[in-house]
Amino acid sequence: MFLPESNGEFSTMSNTNFNPNAATYKMPEPRLETAQELLNRKIEAPKAILNGLIYENSLGMLSGDSGAGKTWLLLHLAYAVAAGKLAEPWGAGAGVPIVYLDGETDESLFKERLQKISNRDKNPKTKKMGVLNFKVFGRIWNKEIPDLDTINGQKYIEKFIEEKYPKLIIIDNLDTFCPTGLNNDKAYAEFTKWLTTLTARGIAVLIAHHNNKAGKQHGSSVKMRRMNYALSLKKTKEIPTEVETSFFLTIEKSRSSITRILPDTRFVIRTKEVEGDLATYVLQENLFSQKSILENSVREALSNGESGKDIAKRLETSESMVSRIKKSMEAEGGIS
């Protein structure tokens, strides 16, 4: 078991004293506190890993349709955390080390996607921090890692933690790294018990999981029980193109008052190289009758003759987004 030393690092120690079933275990004296004591006690807020969504000690899940954009979104969030960049509609990452475990993406495709995200970062300082803090393990091109619902697989990950202590571990996805636990609640319970030992050390964990054909989470609902938050991603009716892919995102569960609750949100991920910083990589549009409130505001401003630059500044959005809406209106004959 890893326990914090005085310098904040973690060292390996026997867990005998922490095992209630061990012969040497000494039962602590039970202590209840009054409501007044609790109200008087100062409680430190958990440190943000990605402000508004991911915090130290948090355990989260992103489930979604196959091919809808889960890995794109996770890569965006991971880079924001590693580089200290903004990930809308939440907030900025902490600029801390992360470990990304990818279970099914081809090595060249993963590199291509990560390169596009890195290229979008025009700040040399954060770009360097992003690529150095971002540690990746691909199971397709590194086949030696055992399944994470086994003791050996968990020990393998512990080596990562010893070498470079991360503040966030992303597991993409549950099907490839936890195949036994996928349909075996007992095996999955042991897997999540191990995950909670990671979160107890201040490491946030975010797991990706596939939906079944009915659009529901694959496997039993027990997978949600220990999650602090859960995001659900669904395909939109638009067919993905070479330029962009889009999806709807819903927060299905949140146990924390500091997780930013959003209405159903439409994301557009631009998968081609374009001008703009990483903050514009995911465009957030809150849905209202299939058209976003933001889009309606932009359309109204364009109809009134306001410039794209002024609209972007006033509505706190990107000029490229305003430009795309303008082109759409021109094609529709709304403006000339």
Side-chain angles (χ1 to χ4, degrees):
M1 182 174 184
F2 290 85
L3 294 175
E5 295 180 336
S6 58
N7 61 0
E9 298 297 323
F10 284 75
S11 61
T12 305
M13 295 181 63
S14 168
N15 63 359
T16 302
N17 292 334
F18 299 89
N19 181 3
N21 298 317
T24 56
Y25 179 77
K26 183 179 179 181
M27 179 68 71
E29 289 293 326
R31 182 184 182 278
L32 298 176
E33 62 180 334
T34 66
Q36 187 62 60
E37 289 174 320
L38 175 60
L39 293 173
N40 290 341
R41 181 157 53 88
K42 184 179 180 181
I43 300 175
E44 294 288 338
K47 293 181 180 178
I49 304 299
L50 180 69
N51 196 33
L53 182 64
I54 306 172
Y55 291 82
E56 284 187 342
N57 313 100
S58 67
L59 180 58
M61 179 174 285
L62 170 66
S63 62
D65 301 335
S66 180
K70 291 189 298 296
T71 298
W72 271 115
L73 179 59
L74 289 171
L75 282 171
H76 172 66
L77 297 179
Y79 187 87
V81 170
K85 303 293 289 187
L86 181 66
E88 296 178 309
W90 293 286
V96 294
I98 70 104
V99 169
Y100 195 111
L101 305 178
D102 182 89
E104 58 185 19
T105 308
D106 178 80
E107 182 177 16
S108 59
L109 179 58
F110 192 96
K111 178 182 177 181
E112 178 186 326
R113 290 180 173 184
L114 186 57
Q115 186 69 64
K116 286 179 178 179
I117 294 175
S118 176
N119 288 349
R120 192 174 300 266
D121 189 352
K122 304 304 181 183
N123 184 321
K125 181 178 179 180
T126 57
K127 186 171 185 175
K128 181 179 180 180
M129 185 163 59
V131 295
L132 292 179
N133 277 338
F134 196 118
K135 308 292 182 181
V136 60
F137 181 97
R139 200 169 197 184
I140 297 298
W141 65 91
N142 290 299
K143 301 181 183 299
E144 70 268 20
I145 183 172
D147 294 335
L148 298 185
D149 50 12
T150 67
I151 295 297
N152 287 337
Q154 293 164 15
K155 287 181 177 179
Y156 194 96
I157 300 303
E158 298 286 356
K159 291 182 180 179
F160 286 157
I161 297 173
E162 290 179 50
E163 292 170 4
K164 181 70 173 179
Y165 190 71
K167 299 302 291 181
L168 171 65
I169 296 177
I170 292 178
I171 301 174
D172 183 11
N173 54 63
L174 194 62
D175 299 53
T176 53
F177 283 108
C178 190
T180 303
L182 190 63
N183 295 301
N184 185 311
D185 288 350
K186 184 176 180 180
Y188 185 77
E190 290 300 313
F191 169 65
T192 53
K193 185 185 293 185
W194 171 67
L195 292 180
T196 57
T197 69
L198 300 181
T199 60
R201 302 175 219 172
I203 303 172
V205 180
L206 177 55
I207 307 168
H209 186 32
H210 289 311
N211 281 346
N212 57 26
K213 292 181 179 179
K216 301 293 184 181
Q217 206 180 97
H218 189 202
S220 70
S221 60
V222 71
K223 294 171 181 57
M224 296 281 286
R225 288 181 186 170
R226 294 200 180 188
M227 299 297 149
N228 300 109
Y229 63 93
L231 311 176
S232 176
L233 183 153
K234 294 186 182 299
K235 293 180 180 179
T236 62
K237 293 182 179 180
E238 293 104 328
I239 298 174
T241 68
E242 288 186 358
V243 178
E244 64 184 34
T245 186
S246 61
F247 51 83
F248 295 130
L249 191 70
T250 302
I251 294 186
E252 300 280 1
K253 174 183 178 181
S254 176
R255 288 180 174 173
S256 173
S257 60
I258 54 180
T259 297
R260 190 169 301 161
I261 304 296
L262 303 171
D264 285 358
T265 303
R266 180 174 180 266
F267 281 82
V268 177
I269 292 183
R270 290 181 287 154
T271 53
K272 279 286 187 181
E273 300 288 355
V274 294
E275 290 298 322
D277 202 359
L278 182 67
T280 66
Y281 191 80
V282 174
L283 302 175
Q284 176 258 329
E285 302 173 341
N286 293 332
L287 294 180
F288 179 74
S289 301
Q290 299 302 310
K291 286 188 177 180
S292 72
I293 296 171
L294 177 59
E295 180 175 336
N296 288 337
S297 298
V298 172
R299 284 174 172 266
E300 181 179 0
L302 287 169
S303 298
N304 292 334
E306 193 172 345
S307 72
K309 184 176 182 180
D310 290 340
I311 294 170
K313 184 177 181 180
R314 179 171 61 81
L315 297 179
E316 297 183 349
T317 188
S318 65
E319 291 186 43
S320 58
M321 181 180 182
V322 175
S323 176
R324 284 204 305 278
I325 295 173
K326 183 178 180 180
K327 288 179 181 178
S328 177
M329 291 179 67
E330 288 172 347
E332 296 166 359
I335 56 174
S336 58

